[in-house]
Amino acid sequence: DIQLTQSPSTLSASVGDRVTITCRASQTLRGWLAWYQQKPGKAPNLLIYRGSTLETGVPSRFSGSGSGTEFTLTISSLQPDDFATYYCQQYDDYWTFGQGTKVEIK
Amino acid sequence: QVQLQESGPGLVKPSQTLSLTCTVSGGSISSGDNYWSWIRQPPGKGLEYIGYIYYSGNTYSTPSLKSRITIPMDTSKNQFSLKLTSVSAADTAVYFCARAGLHCSNGVCHQAPFDVWGQGTLVTVSS
């Protein structure tokens, strides 16, 4: 099965910062990569699918890119509502999640 | 719009069977190309995919749990369930039900990510 490794595990940033999270896959994905945001006590919320397509209603400060085995999630200008944990997920072969990246206040 | 709601006991004794139900509202569980799934999250940890039942009745379980998992569907109640046998403390987690559909392009369709989630329910395994 496909393993996903996210980096960093924790990220300290300030409002207005540009933030980048990386997700590496154990084998080549055909672009079937999604990103979720999860806040404490809540279910994950789909942000991006197909590597770079924003889900309806997701702010444009979120963007995704990448191909093959390396993908990134970028938040162009971090907002107070963005402090959360982010997960990548492959859905090329069933579904698996990365271990998560917590974005905390610096 | 489809909504999901988990229900079931919050406390299960070791070696017993964990049983949860996900009620689907706002749509039919047997219509459309949907993978009705279970995902869990141990306290303070990441997300683990458990398995699905497809709208047609086909099922899949992640290999590490396959021998202990059953995912049945009750179309008359618009529900699907999770049954996990021989539980231990390692099965303590928040359990989510979720839906994944199909993404189709140029006549080729592929499973999609999870666009609808239940709120999650904490199940603690303890005597």
Side-chain angles (χ1 to χ4, degrees), chain B residues 6 40 83 122:
Chain B
E6 305 89 349
R40 69 180 182 180
K83 297 185 187 302
L122 174 63

Side-chain angles (χ1 to χ4, degrees), chain A residues 30 32 34 36 38 41-46 48-49 55 87 89 91-99, chain B residues 35 37 39 41 45-49 52 60 63 96 100 103 110-115 117-120:
Chain A
R30 295 170 289 171
W32 306 113
Y36 296 83
Q38 187 181 32
K42 301 292 187 182
N45 182 48
L46 178 64
I48 287 169
Y49 60 93
E55 178 74 337
Y87 292 92
Q89 178 204 50
Y91 53 104
D92 191 303
D93 180 26
Y94 299 108
W95 295 265
T96 52
F97 295 90
Q99 83 277 17
Chain B
Y35 297 86
S37 296
I39 296 144
Q41 185 171 37
K45 296 188 178 181
L47 300 161
E48 179 185 20
Y49 185 69
Y52 70 75
Y60 166 83
F96 296 98
H103 282 171
H110 188 82
Q111 67 206 41
F114 302 110
D115 61 345
W117 294 68
Q119 64 185 26

Side-chain angles (χ1 to χ4, degrees), chain B residues 46-104:
Chain B
L47 300 161
E48 179 185 20
Y49 185 69
I50 297 173
Y52 70 75
I53 183 162
Y54 194 46
Y55 81 105
S56 63
N58 294 339
T59 61
Y60 166 83
S61 303
T62 194
S64 63
L65 298 172
K66 187 175 183 178
S67 63
R68 299 195 290 135
I69 290 281
T70 306
I71 304 178
M73 181 167 62
D74 186 338
T75 56
S76 67
K77 295 181 179 179
N78 223 32
Q79 296 174 334
F80 64 104
S81 299
L82 171 68
K83 297 185 187 302
L84 177 63
T85 62
S86 304
V87 298
S88 69
D91 295 310
T92 293
V94 174
Y95 286 76
F96 296 98
C97 57
R99 180 193 76 172
L102 285 181
H103 282 171
C104 298

Side-chain angles (χ1 to χ4, degrees), chain A residues 24-67:
Chain A
R24 290 185 175 86
S26 59
Q27 61 191 73
T28 297
L29 303 179
R30 295 170 289 171
W32 306 113
L33 193 285
W35 291 96
Y36 296 83
Q37 177 193 68
Q38 187 181 32
K39 296 183 178 179
K42 301 292 187 182
N45 182 48
L46 178 64
L47 297 176
I48 287 169
Y49 60 93
R50 204 64 172 97
S52 61
T53 303
L54 250 60
E55 178 74 337
T56 302
V58 174
S60 59
R61 63 180 180 272
F62 291 92
S63 63
S65 63
S67 63

Side-chain angles (χ1 to χ4, degrees), chain B residues 23 25 58:
Chain B
T23 300
S25 60
N58 294 339

